[in-house]
Amino acid sequence: MRAQPKASHYINGRFVDDEQGAPLPVIYPATGETIATLHSATPNIIELAVEAARAAQPAWARLKPVERGRILRRAADILRARNAELARLETLDTGKAIQETLVADPASAADALEYFGGAVASYTGDYIDLGGPFAYTRREALGVCVGIGAWNYPIQGAGWKSAPALAMGNAMVFKPSENTPLSALALAEIYTEAGLPDGLFNVVQGYGDVGGALASHEVVAKVSLTGSVPTGKKVLALTGSLMKHATMELGGKSPLIVFDDADLENAIGGAMLGNFYSTGQVCSNGTRVFVQKGLHDRFVERLAERTKAIRIGDPLDPETQMGPLINKAQHDKVMSYIGIGKAEGATLHYGGGEPKLQGFENGFFIEPTIFTNVTDQMRIAREEIFGPVMSVLSFSEEDEVIDRANDTEFGLSAGVFTRDLPRAHRVIAELQAGTCWINNYNLSPVEMPFGGFKQSGIGRENSLAALALYSQEKSVYVETGDVASPY
Ligand code: NAD
């Protein structure tokens, strides 16, 4: 199986390479085979990309917003027309089941391009009446923005970052995760085909050092990173020391609270979505499932029944519901957490094994795994595992579960399942998390701001909030009379 792109990087509207860069193999996680080999960006490639962006941005920012938006909406249409082909590429890059990538990945990027392409023309400044004189505000582009992606939602991440950036008149240099470099290149070609002028969306490949070089480049005005908390702290420190704008979308260990009165099947469906979708590699996953005592036993029994039915296997088979982990390192990390859970005394209620699938013996598969009798202090309840490992904890009282849910350094997401609506809103208001759900889990439509509290990040993606964060506000005072000068 091969998925070799025309070259490693996409700069100024064309593919370029520099074979001096460190090799960057692309591994298909289902088989462990190398499907492409790219090169990490050299300093020369980084300079070319930043310079292309710098040169192209001012003319783009001077276009009418509706004209910029039209190109984004055209690119959204192309993404949708090529959904099947892009979903396949994303499955090869990530190992995620094709039944997911067909509905969740290019489609979500297309939603972002369509939304921001449409919203930007209405995203206007203010008029401020000063009793004669007046003021107005302008929302201006920042200039060159850098996007740095994670590997779980590669094309979605590239779309979520580039769409608001470009809509507001910025240029972007995007560095995908070294694990999933392919689909951002496809997006770059699509932007060009849709009429985006050269230099406005550039893709450079590389490891963390390339991300660091981009984030500290003097021309760069803003960095938006999706990644782990330790990486976020490094990049935020760097951008802070250089007074650059920054958005940080980081990790989590989110609580999902199920009250006794919840609809059992819906709550289980939410918990499974929030732990097993994308093989558990979702930042907002509700990996601490708190179930109230009265429902707990029925919940875990039925949860295991439904989990048993999950079909693991060939990611390109439309019947497959769960693919492998992204790579061997992540596979081994998740397996070590399963070992830690057992050693800590949690009950391995379901899974925990490594299925050996015919034809996929070298793939990075792990069964969906459920621990019960988990306590708050266990490492599996405190640390982000980023794999298909659910911890079920039981609770008695509303106040108690709120305190326990909030007892974490993270604050990305939270969910509540209950039929008691006043309680749902009361509990959500107390939870320290940026993105919350009532009676569902993990849906992130582009219209809704997405981001974290506490260590889970700073800033927001999606919604009009993203347009604010990819722009700067200029205030203009306009005198309509004489200058009252004492001199
Ligand atoms: P990671 O932190 O290892 O890497 C993220 C990106 O940062 C990669 O592109 C990497 O090359 C780059 N990078 C690494 N070191 C860098 C440095 N010093 N300077 C600049 N760039 C650097 O994360 P990952 O393993 O790719 O992704 C998993 C993590 O991402 C999890 O913690 C997950 O929760 C988080 N995540 C968060 C969100 C969100 O929106 N909040 C979404 C997806 C994933």
Side-chain angles (χ1 to χ4, degrees):
M1 195 136 17
R2 294 294 289 166
Q4 185 71 35
K6 290 177 199 136
S8 301
H9 319 288
Y10 193 91
I11 298 172
N12 217 10
R14 56 202 71 95
F15 279 98
V16 291
D17 224 325
D18 180 349
E19 294 185 0
Q20 301 297 314
L24 201 148
V26 187
I27 313 275
Y28 181 38
T31 59
E33 71 190 290
T34 302
I35 55 170
T37 303
L38 279 61
H39 294 98
S40 183
T42 54
N44 181 42
I45 288 287
I46 293 171
E47 277 314 308
L48 280 177
V50 173
E51 177 49 29
R54 191 198 59 72
Q57 187 268 331
W60 175 246
R62 281 194 289 270
L63 288 182
K64 283 203 315 187
V66 77
E67 292 173 318
R68 295 195 299 263
R70 191 177 303 139
I71 293 174
L72 293 186
R73 285 182 284 115
R74 210 179 286 144
D77 291 344
I78 302 174
L79 276 165
R80 291 215 174 87
R82 305 223 179 111
N83 185 56
E85 174 195 325
L86 293 166
R88 185 171 193 279
L89 186 67
E90 200 72 323
T91 286
L92 293 178
D93 227 355
T94 61
K96 296 196 294 181
I98 192 97
Q99 65 164 241
E100 288 189 13
T101 54
L102 277 170
V103 297
D105 294 83
S108 169
D111 285 353
L113 271 59
E114 185 177 35
Y115 172 82
F116 289 111
V120 67
S122 306
Y123 190 65
T124 55
D126 294 320
Y127 166 83
I128 302 154
D129 187 347
L130 300 173
F134 63 94
Y136 64 92
T137 62
R138 288 168 52 84
R139 274 278 163 197
E140 296 187 358
L142 296 167
V144 177
C145 300
V146 161
I148 303 177
W151 40 258
N152 54 345
Y153 283 89
I155 197 167
Q156 179 194 79
W160 282 17
K161 292 186 194 305
S162 62
L166 294 171
M168 283 312 300
N170 301 283
M172 175 161 273
V173 179
F174 185 80
K175 189 200 84 63
S177 161
E178 56 271 35
N179 293 303
T180 51
L182 301 179
S183 57
L185 293 170
L187 176 64
E189 276 188 293
I190 287 172
Y191 272 133
T192 299
E193 196 179 326
L196 188 73
D198 293 347
L200 290 169
F201 183 71
N202 308 279
V203 177
V204 301
Q205 310 293 350
Y207 299 89
D209 59 324
V210 173
L214 287 169
S216 54
H217 197 291
E218 60 174 354
V219 165
V220 170
K222 171 177 174 121
V223 179
S224 174
L225 169 95
T226 299
S228 61
V229 172
T231 303
K233 285 183 177 167
K234 275 190 225 160
V235 176
L236 192 60
L238 193 62
T239 51
S241 72
L242 297 166
M243 204 60 84
K244 296 181 193 295
H245 295 246
T247 294
M248 297 288 138
E249 292 292 350
L250 310 176
K253 190 79 198 176
S254 301
L256 195 173
I257 302 172
V258 181
F259 285 96
D260 280 345
D261 67 345
D263 179 293
L264 182 65
E265 293 300 326
N266 281 335
I268 289 171
M272 291 173 72
L273 270 177
N275 279 273
F276 302 143
Y277 205 72
S278 296
T279 317
Q281 303 163 112
V282 183
C283 50
S284 48
N285 270 357
T287 45
R288 291 183 293 144
V289 180
F290 290 94
V291 186
Q292 204 165 15
K293 283 214 160 77
L295 192 66
H296 178 274
D297 292 353
R298 276 198 295 143
F299 182 94
V300 296
E301 188 188 327
R302 181 73 184 122
L303 171 67
E305 264 171 40
R306 285 180 60 180
T307 303
K308 225 174 268 176
I310 291 179
R311 287 188 293 271
I312 311 179
D314 177 359
L316 289 169
D317 178 345
E319 296 299 312
T320 294
Q321 293 172 310
M322 208 168 121
L325 278 293
I326 184 74
N327 58 23
K328 171 127 181 37
Q330 188 64 19
H331 167 276
D332 293 353
K333 178 180 161 194
V334 174
M335 285 310 295
S336 94
Y337 270 107
I338 291 172
I340 289 167
K342 291 188 219 166
E344 285 177 315
T347 305
L348 182 61
H349 183 64
Y350 183 80
E354 298 166 82
K356 286 288 162 237
L357 306 162
Q358 207 187 348
F360 298 92
E361 291 80 3
N362 296 322
F364 313 121
F365 293 88
I366 294 180
E367 288 173 337
T369 299
I370 302 162
F371 279 107
T372 53
N373 295 315
V374 178
T375 59
D376 296 341
Q377 295 314 315
M378 290 180 181
R379 284 182 61 195
I380 56 165
R382 303 206 69 78
E383 298 173 18
E384 186 183 44
I385 300 174
F386 221 57
V389 182
M390 183 193 304
S391 289
V392 181
L393 306 93
S394 72
F395 75 96
S396 305
E397 303 298 332
E398 183 179 311
D399 288 350
E400 169 212 334
V401 78
I402 291 169
D403 286 347
R404 291 171 61 195
N406 286 336
D407 181 20
T408 167
E409 64 186 0
F410 298 110
L412 187 53
S413 304
V416 174
F417 274 86
T418 176
R419 286 193 175 98
D420 178 345
L421 283 183
R423 173 160 66 191
H425 296 295
R426 188 167 68 229
V427 171
I428 285 289
E430 293 300 318
L431 292 174
Q432 296 161 357
T435 312
C436 297
W437 295 274
I438 293 173
N439 291 334
N440 210 330
Y441 204 82
N442 255 359
L443 301 178
S444 301
V446 65
E447 298 88 342
M448 182 170 114
F450 183 85
F453 284 7
K454 291 157 74 176
Q455 305 256 322
S456 291
I458 289 182
R460 291 292 175 268
E461 294 201 293
N462 291 341
S463 78
L464 297 181
L467 292 180
L469 293 168
Y470 277 103
S471 60
Q472 52 196 339
E473 192 165 45
K474 179 179 278 176
S475 300
V476 184
Y477 180 103
V478 182
E479 185 54 79
T480 52
D482 293 326
V483 174
S485 167
Y487 310 111

